[in-house]
Every structure is written in structure tokens, then in C-alpha cells.
Amino acid sequence: MKKIINSPDKVVSEMLEGMEKAHKSLRYVRELEVITRREKSDKVGLVSGGGSGHEPSHAGYVGKGMLDSAVAGNVFASPSPDRILKGIEEANSGKGVLLVIKNYSGDIMNFEMAKDLAVMDGIEVDSVVVRDDVAVPDSTYSTGRRGIAGTVFIHKIAGARAEAGGTLPEVKAAAEKAISRIRSMGMAMTPCTLPGVGKPGFSLADDEIEIGMGIHGEPGVNRSHILSAEALAEVLLEKILDDYDYSGKEVALMVNGLGGTPLMELYILNNEVERILSAKGIKVYRTFVGNFMTSLEMSGCSLTLMDLDDELKELLDAPCDTPALKG
Amino acid sequence: MKKIINSPDKVVSEMLEGMEKAHKSLRYVRELEVITRREKSDKVGLVSGGGSGHEPSHAGYVGKGMLDSAVAGNVFASPSPDRILKGIEEANSGKGVLLVIKNYSGDIMNFEMAKDLAVMDGIEVDSVVVRDDVAVPDSTYSTGRRGIAGTVFIHKIAGARAEAGGTLPEVKAAAEKAISRIRSMGMAMTPCTLPGVGKPGFSLADDEIEIGMGIHGEPGVNRSHILSAEALAEVLLEKILDDYDYSGKEVALMVNGLGGTPLMELYILNNEVERILSAKGIKVYRTFVGNFMTSLEMSGCSLTLMDLDDELKELLDAPCDTPALKG
């Protein structure tokens, strides 16, 4: 296993320490593996998190205009309720806290338990669940669709509403509206190796890719011979467009790399995706290309579309300042 | 070869088309493989470029506060003089143009030839050469030290001086000052595959890394058994600190990924690097962690230090708005 680490059981804590050192705006709550803003603001708090290994998700999105706290579990494992409770406490300024949960059974259970604990402590807490992945109806670790890269759009939209002084119901409503308009679909070309395991989690032949594979290597729709960028864009978009009618809409587009895919290839894919969308009368309002939600060093990608209206455009374009997204 | 491409001979043009589609601030000059700003400004122009495969270098740094044009060669191959000339013409507003060249023989030859052509056309052009890599005194493709990730700091520093209205000699002086204070050192863990070749450019054993390998896979200092993050930070920093006395200085630090290394590992490395620097009385003023100058999907990293004074701090902190660096 070739990794720049010291010890597999310290990767999360050492990574978060390294983040705190790199970004002065972040504070790392040791032991509980929470990254939170150093400067608190008087607004609805926004908390997300989940298993580690998806960096920059979620700690990279802590900052002005996006999250208040990100709670890290071990690699590909949900954070425990005590960690999430700490994330909620750090995010709470008395105006309530919204949890953004990716739809995995472990995350749902632990975030909901933390919510209950926080409510018992007198904190107003609500939650939304992101289920953007159209690949499969149920999956290894989820009942219903998985939450993947579209979650980053929820951080942006809900974060902007909170920063603008929205109440907890308003922030939740913005998040729910975005969730209802987001669809994602991905594929993997190579596996990744969990530091604590030391060998790849699955195998794919030299000329084989898996369409619809999850961000933890969960099975997808089917295995396929490697596709051209053009064919890949068609296959991924077809599944998304079959599920949601984006025709005539203006959309935000995310071309997300899973960690090991060069930016060159993501831009080549974007070229095909925008061409296809344009031919279908779907206007791309804004495009995000890069590694937003990864699976360690896995190579592969996902596409996410969000159907925009004026409110969502305004929230998408509102300023944000986080390690992984600024603008 | 598992890559999201259509045809190996179209990767550069399709990538640049995909960039133009993704970023409305950029314009792609077809055939000549130049990415330039859509909105021209009345200031000294800043041009860089080189072989493709190092994305987001250099086209990702075109925009306010950084480059005016980036000129792309084929993968790991210098762009031809006619392409560079076009980049100069696009960047020229009548106040002169500075070329930022990485020290590779092909780049030096072609950029200097383009400079001569531009001067004959009446454009005032000057150039600087970045030689930040302390690994080896000469290399496969360079006489003298190679130019690697530190080049991104030069884009930032010179770009800020140009944006603030600096004259061509002032912009060049800022670049030269930064160049004299920057040192980098890297290592590689896995090879990368050029799209036109179809197989990895070199091989490393499962437990082997190469210290000081270049960003095109050029030989480095030595091969080593895989190191812990702590030991790796020590080995890379030792070479840098032996070459330049950063003690008592304030520095900018870049922890750069070569493309295939997860952000998690870069932050773990940063944790060790900042600890060692702190113990040596070197204060990190600002840290950049991520993929700034890559080698396709190669896994590995480089460290860059820049010794800062008040002028360089101000230029480093000046606003910029490019696809790959904002703030």
C-alpha cells in the first residue's frame, strides 16, 4: 500500500490536524474529529459529515457561506453520535442547526441519534437527507438512493440561505428545494485502498469500468468495456435525464473527479457533457469541474445536475469562502 | 489504458474546449491551443505555458490577478513558438508582456523564439525562468534545475504586481525576487501513462518511491523504500533547507499533489511539514494544499517554500480570480 501516512489508525486525526494548520479559519476539535469555523456567527448553523476518504468533503466546505461544522468518521464509516453532537454544539448560536445527511443507513442512524441528543439539550435541530444518486434504487449501505457529490450543492445553497439570515425552516426549505432538483450519476475505473485494509476493495479488469458504482465501491448498474468520453457522457446523462426532466431548464453542472482522475479528463468529459446538454436545450448556467467528493485515490467521475430557478441561482452565486470552494 | 478521452491526439484541444465551456471568463484560441482572458485589461500581460498534463497548470491560472494567457503544448511537450506568439499577442495591451518559463530546454528554446518573433512585431517582451526544483543540478530535459510547482507562486506574485499597474520591469523584478526565494522538492510513488503512449512511462516496485523525480518522470535523487509521512516530510524538507536558509523567515508553503494522491494524504503530510518548520523557527504565513501542478494521474507530491517579505506577502494576498485559485 503506497500512501503518505504514518499509521492507518491515525489518518483521520492527522489529516484534520493538517487541515487546521493549513487553514487559519478552521478549528479542529480533537478526539471528536470535528472541523468548525474559528469565528462563530449569529445565524442558523449548518452541519454535515460522514465517513472520511471523500475529501474535500466535508471539512473542506466549512467556512463563510457554507458549513459551520463538518464531522468526520473513520474512513468510509459514519461518525458516532457523540462526534455529531459536538459538531451541532459548535454550530449552534441559538438560532437552530440544520443537518445535511447523505443517505447511508449508518449516517442516518447516527445523525438522527445526535439530533435527539441535541434536542434534549435544548438545541433546535432539523435535518435533510440527500439522495441524488440515480444509479440504483437501493444499495449496499442505503435504503433508497445514495447521497453523493450533489451534497456539495446542498452545502452551498443551504449555507447561502443561512448566511443571509434565513430562519431554520427557511434554510431547510432551500435545502429541500435543491435536493428535489438534483440528480447525480457516476462510474469508477479503478478501486481504492482503505488505509486500515491495505488492499483494494474490489477489482476491475484492465479494460473494464463500473457504471453507477458508489463512492465506497458499492455495486453499480453494470460493468462495461471502457467507453470514450463521448459515450460515457451519454451513458451517465441518459440515466440522469430519464429520471428528471431538465429540458428547457437552466442548470448547475458538476463534473466531479473521484480522486485519481486527472483534471484533463474531467475537462474532456465536460466538453462532451455540455455539448449534449446544449443539443437537448438544457442551458448550463454554471459549471464546477474538479474533485469535490472523492473516494480516496479511486479513478472515475460523477455528473450532477441541479435545476435552477432565480432563488437557487442567487444562492449558488452568493459569496463563499472555504478551503475547497471560494467565490 | 483507462482514461476518459476520445482520441489520444485530441486530448489537449478537447480539454481546452471543455475549460472554455466550464469557465465563462476564459476564451480558447483554437488550433493554437491558447487559453486567454475573455476580458482584456490595460496592464502588463503575463504569459506562461508548457507541456500539457500538469493541469490545472497553466490554463487554470488564467484570470484576474494571475495570467493573461496560457499556452498548451502536447502532453509533456513544449508548445511551438507560433502558439506562444499567439499567447503573447493575446496578452499584449501595449504595456509589454512577461513570459514565465519553466526551466526545460524545449520550453526555453520555444519561448525565447516566440519572444524574438513578438519583439520583431513591435511588442515589448521580457521573460523569467523558474528553476525551483532542488532535487538535481541538471536533468533529462533541463540544463540546471527544473521548474516545477513553485511556478504557480510566480504566476501569483507577478500577476498581482501586473494587476496593480506595475511596469514590465517592475513585474519582472517581483517575479525574479520570488524566484530567488523559492525552493521545491518532490517525490513520486506511481508512474503515469501518456495518452499517446498507452503504457506507464516507468515502473516502481510496490514498496518503492523515487525521491526527487521530475514532473515528467525524469530520474530523481534516489529510490527509497516507502516512507512514513513524517520521514517523507523530513527527507523533502532537508534538501530544501540545505539549499536555502529559511530559518527565522516567514514562508508561503505549498503541499502539491501530483494528480493521483488523495487530499487526505496531502493534509497528513502538511501536518508533518508544518510541525518540522515550526520546530526550526520557520513561520508558515500561508499554506496551499492541493493539486496545483500535476503529472496526469501520477501519485506523489512536492513541497515548495517561498521566503516572504512585506512586498511578497502583499502580492500573495492580493485578490485573484482564476479557475484554480481564488481569494
Side-chain angles (χ1 to χ4, degrees), chain A residues 1-6 10-24 52-53 55-56 60 75 187 189-190 195 204-209 226-232 259-272 274-275 284-289 291 296-297 299-301 323 326-327, chain B residues 1-6 10-24 52-53 55-56 60 75 187 189-190 195 204-209 226-232 259-272 274-275 284-289 291 296-297 299-301 323 326-327:
Chain A
M1 177 176 64
K2 282 186 176 176
K3 289 187 183 289
I4 305 173
I5 63 172
N6 291 309
K10 287 194 206 151
V11 293
V12 173
S13 58
E14 292 184 352
M15 165 182 73
L16 298 179
E17 272 197 40
M19 288 195 76
E20 183 187 51
K21 285 181 179 147
H23 308 292
K24 293 185 173 58
S52 293
E55 291 71 29
V75 179
M187 72 92 187
M189 298 200 290
T190 65
L204 282 164
D206 278 353
D207 59 351
E208 195 181 41
I209 64 175
I226 188 154
L227 299 173
S228 68
E230 184 180 354
L232 180 64
T261 294
L263 198 49
M264 168 183 275
E265 297 175 33
L266 299 179
Y267 277 118
I268 290 172
L269 181 62
N270 181 58
N271 192 41
E272 300 299 336
E274 295 225 10
R275 188 185 48 71
V284 179
Y285 174 75
R286 205 168 149 192
T287 307
F288 299 78
V289 179
N291 292 341
L296 297 170
E297 72 279 9
S299 86
C301 64
K326 290 183 208 296
Chain B
M1 179 177 62
K2 283 187 175 176
K3 290 186 182 290
I4 305 173
I5 64 173
N6 291 308
K10 288 197 207 149
V11 292
V12 173
S13 58
E14 292 184 352
M15 165 182 72
L16 298 178
E17 273 197 39
M19 287 195 76
E20 183 186 54
K21 284 181 180 148
H23 308 291
K24 293 185 172 61
S52 292
E55 291 69 28
V75 179
M187 73 92 188
M189 298 199 290
T190 65
L204 283 164
D206 278 353
D207 58 351
E208 196 181 38
I209 64 175
I226 187 156
L227 299 173
S228 68
E230 184 180 355
L232 180 65
T261 294
L263 198 48
M264 168 183 275
E265 298 175 33
L266 299 179
Y267 277 118
I268 290 172
L269 181 61
N270 181 59
N271 192 40
E272 300 298 336
E274 295 225 9
R275 188 185 47 72
V284 179
Y285 175 76
R286 206 167 146 191
T287 307
F288 299 77
V289 179
N291 291 343
L296 297 170
E297 72 279 9
S299 86
C301 64
K326 290 184 210 291

Side-chain angles (χ1 to χ4, degrees), chain A residues 9-321:
Chain A
D9 59 339
K10 287 194 206 151
V11 293
V12 173
S13 58
E14 292 184 352
M15 165 182 73
L16 298 179
E17 272 197 40
M19 288 195 76
E20 183 187 51
K21 285 181 179 147
H23 308 292
K24 293 185 173 58
S25 60
L26 303 183
R27 186 164 60 82
Y28 167 40
V29 183
R30 283 163 177 72
E31 309 295 331
L32 289 167
E33 314 307 11
V34 171
I35 289 282
T36 188
R37 297 194 203 182
R38 202 168 279 282
E39 280 185 33
K40 303 298 176 190
S41 52
D42 184 31
K43 61 170 204 57
V44 168
L46 197 65
V47 175
S48 193
S52 293
H54 305 300
E55 291 71 29
S57 291
H58 297 274
Y61 301 110
V62 172
K64 192 170 178 307
M66 295 186 77
L67 300 178
D68 293 277
S69 303
V71 188
N74 292 334
V75 179
F76 291 3
S78 181
S80 54
D82 59 323
R83 293 186 184 184
I84 301 166
L85 177 61
K86 183 65 181 173
I88 294 170
E89 289 167 353
E90 290 289 341
N92 179 41
S93 73
K95 298 199 164 167
V97 174
L98 184 72
L99 309 181
V100 179
I101 312 172
K102 297 197 301 298
N103 188 38
Y104 296 100
S105 305
D107 283 343
I108 299 281
M109 188 177 71
N110 291 345
F111 275 82
E112 290 296 329
M113 205 177 294
K115 182 165 88 173
D116 293 344
L117 293 169
V119 167
M120 281 193 284
D121 288 345
I123 304 175
E124 195 186 359
V125 186
D126 209 338
S127 63
V128 296
V129 178
V130 186
R131 302 180 169 88
D132 54 322
D133 187 352
V134 300
V136 288
D138 296 286
S139 182
T140 317
Y141 311 117
S142 74
T143 303
R145 290 175 171 181
R146 302 173 296 215
I148 57 170
T151 309
V152 177
F153 280 150
I154 307 307
H155 298 346
K156 180 71 189 73
I157 295 297
R161 175 56 76 223
E163 210 75 50
T167 62
L168 182 54
E170 286 167 349
V171 174
K172 181 179 180 177
E176 291 284 22
K177 181 182 192 177
I179 287 170
S180 73
R181 290 160 168 252
I182 288 176
R183 299 292 185 275
S184 299
M185 177 76 190
M187 72 92 187
M189 298 200 290
T190 65
C192 61
T193 296
L194 274 67
V197 176
K199 57 183 186 186
F202 59 91
S203 66
L204 282 164
D206 278 353
D207 59 351
E208 195 181 41
I209 64 175
E210 183 153 338
I211 304 292
M213 178 168 280
I215 55 172
H216 313 95
E218 311 95 299
V221 179
N222 64 284
R223 294 200 168 186
S224 150
H225 193 275
I226 188 154
L227 299 173
S228 68
E230 184 180 354
L232 180 64
E234 277 167 10
V235 165
L236 297 182
L237 279 178
E238 186 184 20
K239 192 94 178 157
I240 289 174
L241 300 179
D242 274 357
D243 196 78
Y244 188 99
D245 185 6
Y246 287 97
S247 56
K249 311 285 190 183
E250 279 190 272
V251 300
L253 164 64
M254 179 178 286
V255 180
N256 175 58
L258 293 184
T261 294
L263 198 49
M264 168 183 275
E265 297 175 33
L266 299 179
Y267 277 118
I268 290 172
L269 181 62
N270 181 58
N271 192 41
E272 300 299 336
V273 169
E274 295 225 10
R275 188 185 48 71
I276 294 170
L277 293 177
S278 172
K280 290 182 185 290
I282 300 168
K283 187 180 168 198
V284 179
Y285 174 75
R286 205 168 149 192
T287 307
F288 299 78
V289 179
N291 292 341
F292 298 97
M293 185 172 293
T294 63
S295 302
L296 297 170
E297 72 279 9
M298 195 184 283
S299 86
C301 64
S302 64
L303 301 179
T304 298
L305 294 186
M306 174 165 61
D307 171 16
L308 298 171
D309 63 4
D310 288 345
E311 181 197 12
L312 291 176
K313 278 187 203 173
E314 189 186 323
L315 294 171
L316 189 67
D317 289 340
C320 66
D321 187 3

